[in-house]
Amino acid sequence: MRCSISFLPIFIGFLFSGYGQDSLANPLMADPTIFQEDGTYYLYGTTGDPKMGKDKGFLVYTSKDLVDWQGPSGPSKGLAMRKGDAFGTKGFWAPQIFEYDSKYYMAYTADEHIALATSSHPSGPFKNKEKKDLQAAVRQIDPFIYFDDDGKKYLYHVRLTEGNRIFVAELEDSLEAIKPETLKECISGELPWENTWDSEWPVTEGPTILKRNGIYYMIYSANDFRNPDYAVGYATSDHPLGPWTKSKNGPFITKVILGINGTGHGDVLEHEDGSLYYVFHTHFDDSKVQPRRTAMVKLEFSDGDEGHEEISIDKNTFRFLQLKGKK
């Protein structure tokens, strides 16, 4: 099952690490996610640091307290998954890590297709001996596998068809194929905040699903990631397959709120007391997109319409992740 992260109460006293500081201080991960087991936190994402090379696979960093990070810590020169051990030759993006059926899984994007690799340990090595992808008639990226309370499994993902559009389908228990009759489109970029460049290829991507009080929340990002207006919003539904209703309040993580360009595409961390946090990426600084930087912020929930809570953030908890001994 997907792991809930026990988030230690360490946000009190966090120091803002400085937008645009020396990149050596940060694990430069886009599309980040964190997995926790036995007191160790594992950070994965789309590798952005040019010193680490390009299209080699997925790096992993580790931490005991979510403050100081070490690594890269994977068994293959820092890599949790190495190109050649699983499907894909380039474009290793947006991993998700979870435990299922006594194995650790990495759902990820490569060559603009979705694939699964497995390992006996969260740090890897993750492998797919058959080197095959999840078959589909179109290009698809940004997988998020959700395990519902009734045991059903769902693949949320982005299909590249007339824009980046978010879809969902129920998965077979093996996780190796979807049930095609269940495939449904969830959302696309139709609102003004979701396409501020008025692009002919609108983008919604990076879905994460959580459930609260019987309501499903889809947290997603919109706009091209290179756009300073890249932002995070959410939609709600009474069922994993939808239909989905977008928040009337628009995005809740934006450059307007945080004063930082390119805020988006991350994952949710669950505190042991039920509080939730979002780990995501930003542009490197005001003038440069790459390499993107990894950050965290606490989520807040308040009463909304029709029994659906409204999501916002406590911007005072925002911080960039920092490598141990680096400032």
Side-chain angles (χ1 to χ4, degrees), residues 23 58 100 102-103 120 123 127 167 189 198 205 221 296 318 327:
S23 65
F58 291 103
Y100 174 66
S102 301
K103 290 185 287 188
S120 60
S123 65
K127 297 185 178 183
F167 282 73
D198 195 25
E205 61 187 14
S221 298
M296 285 183 177
F318 171 84
K327 294 183 178 179

Side-chain angles (χ1 to χ4, degrees), residues 178-240:
I178 66 168
K179 298 179 180 180
E181 70 277 9
T182 68
L183 181 68
K184 294 182 181 296
E185 182 173 347
C186 299
I187 60 172
S188 60
E190 300 171 327
L191 300 178
W193 77 264
E194 296 170 332
N195 190 7
T196 63
W197 280 351
D198 195 25
S199 172
E200 294 182 359
W201 189 274
V203 172
T204 51
E205 61 187 14
T208 292
I209 305 300
L210 59 97
K211 187 178 183 179
R212 289 173 62 90
N213 301 320
I215 303 298
Y216 298 86
Y217 293 79
M218 176 190 293
I219 296 177
Y220 67 96
S221 298
N223 288 301
D224 188 300
F225 76 89
R226 292 163 291 194
N227 187 338
D229 296 322
Y230 196 58
V232 182
Y234 70 94
T236 58
S237 176
D238 297 327
H239 192 276

Side-chain angles (χ1 to χ4, degrees), residues 11 14-22 25-29 43 66-69 258-263 279-286 291-297 317-323 326:
F11 264 88
F14 271 166
L15 297 178
F16 185 84
S17 61
Y19 187 37
Q21 70 180 40
D22 187 346
N26 308 114
L28 298 171
M29 293 284 201
L43 169 69
L66 288 169
V67 176
D68 292 321
W69 292 88
L258 290 176
I260 298 167
N261 291 343
T263 55
V279 55
F280 61 105
H281 70 245
T282 75
H283 288 181
F284 183 78
D285 58 26
D286 288 336
R292 287 168 286 175
R293 301 175 62 196
T294 311
M296 285 183 177
V297 71
T317 64
F318 171 84
R319 73 178 186 92
F320 289 111
L321 303 193
Q322 183 168 305
L323 291 174
K326 304 288 186 179

